[in-house]
Amino acid sequence: MRWYPVPLGFVFRSRAKEEKAAVADKAPLTDSKQTRDPQAPKGRPTPKRSEAQSQRRSVANTSMTRKEAAKRQREERRAALDRQRQALATGDERYLPARDKGPVRKLARDFIDSRFNIAEFFLPMAVVILVLSMVRVPALQTIALLLWLVVIVLIVLDSFVTGYRLKKRLAERFPDDNKRGAVAYALMRSLQMRRLRLPKPQVKRGERP
């Protein structure tokens, strides 16, 4: 009788491997393109909100070069300055600088623009006094000194009266609003000539604001 050799691997094959192979054969095949159930686990951790925002920001930034971003910033700055310049001429509250915004500052400007202020004539009077003081005539130099003292006293008195009246008007019109610095803001405006004031005057002289 003839004997045929039997492979030892077949005889001593692990039973565990056979069971694993059987399970793998019975497992259903899944399509990788199949839509995932929204309720099923994602298989990866959900990114944090800050990480997601930084990713979106990085994507937005990478779509624009540094040169293009700088150009856009210059254009936006130029447009903002143009709007502010136009607002200073028209009094548009939306684009005025922060120091000029608000109803309190507007009333302070209108109060100064509606009256004659001695302080607004300070610059032309100072030029006249300077010219007189440079003339080598003792009498004219004495007159220039007296004029200088008179102008200073008149400006101080007028500023005191203007500040008192404006403070009273602001208290009546805006009793609950912040009025800090409004009187000083108005007095500084009174030192400027009317045609040089910014924002431009929106009321006529003698008109009650």
Side-chain angles (χ1 to χ4, degrees):
M1 184 175 180
R2 190 173 180 178
W3 294 90
Y4 294 95
V6 178
L8 296 178
F10 176 78
V11 176
F12 297 101
R13 189 174 181 179
S14 174
R15 184 176 181 182
K17 290 183 179 181
E18 293 179 355
E19 294 177 353
K20 289 181 180 180
V23 172
D25 293 338
K26 294 180 180 179
L29 296 176
T30 58
D31 187 2
S32 60
K33 296 182 180 180
Q34 184 178 0
T35 305
R36 186 181 63 84
D37 186 357
Q39 301 299 330
K42 298 180 179 179
R44 58 182 175 83
T46 303
K48 295 181 179 179
R49 187 173 186 179
S50 58
E51 295 177 356
Q53 291 177 351
S54 62
Q55 290 176 359
R56 289 196 297 267
R57 194 180 300 114
S58 62
V59 172
N61 293 336
T62 53
S63 62
M64 183 184 301
T65 63
R66 182 178 300 178
K67 186 176 181 180
E68 292 175 347
K71 183 179 179 181
R72 174 173 292 185
Q73 290 179 355
R74 287 195 301 269
E75 292 176 351
E76 292 177 352
R77 193 184 307 109
R78 189 181 301 111
L81 291 176
D82 291 340
R83 288 194 298 267
Q84 188 178 102
R85 190 179 303 109
Q86 186 176 1
L88 290 173
T90 60
D92 190 348
E93 286 282 338
R94 295 175 299 172
Y95 305 114
L96 285 176
R99 66 182 181 86
D100 300 314
K101 282 186 176 181
V104 174
R105 296 301 173 98
K106 185 179 186 305
L107 177 59
R109 291 195 304 271
D110 293 344
F111 186 86
I112 294 298
D113 297 336
S114 64
R115 62 192 302 273
F116 283 95
N117 304 278
I118 299 177
E120 67 181 289
F121 303 106
F122 171 78
L123 185 58
M125 288 189 295
V127 173
V128 173
I129 293 172
L130 180 61
V131 171
L132 291 177
S133 63
M134 293 177 63
V135 178
R136 295 182 177 279
V137 177
L140 292 178
Q141 291 180 348
T142 302
I143 293 174
L145 179 59
L146 291 175
L147 285 176
W148 182 256
L149 293 176
V150 170
V151 168
I152 294 299
V153 171
L154 289 177
I155 289 176
V156 171
L157 292 176
D158 185 62
S159 298
F160 178 80
V161 174
T162 301
Y164 176 79
R165 291 180 177 176
L166 176 59
K167 188 175 182 180
K168 185 177 180 181
R169 181 73 59 82
L170 291 173
E172 294 174 355
R173 188 77 61 85
F174 307 105
D176 300 326
D177 292 359
N178 183 14
K179 297 175 285 294
R180 182 178 181 181
V183 175
Y185 169 79
L187 294 179
M188 289 297 298
R189 184 177 179 85
S190 68
L191 291 171
Q192 303 171 348
M193 299 179 67
R194 182 181 174 86
R195 67 180 62 183
L196 301 179
R197 293 172 184 170
L198 290 175
K200 295 290 185 181
Q202 302 297 316
V203 296
K204 298 179 180 180
R205 292 189 190 272
E207 183 180 351
R208 183 179 175 84

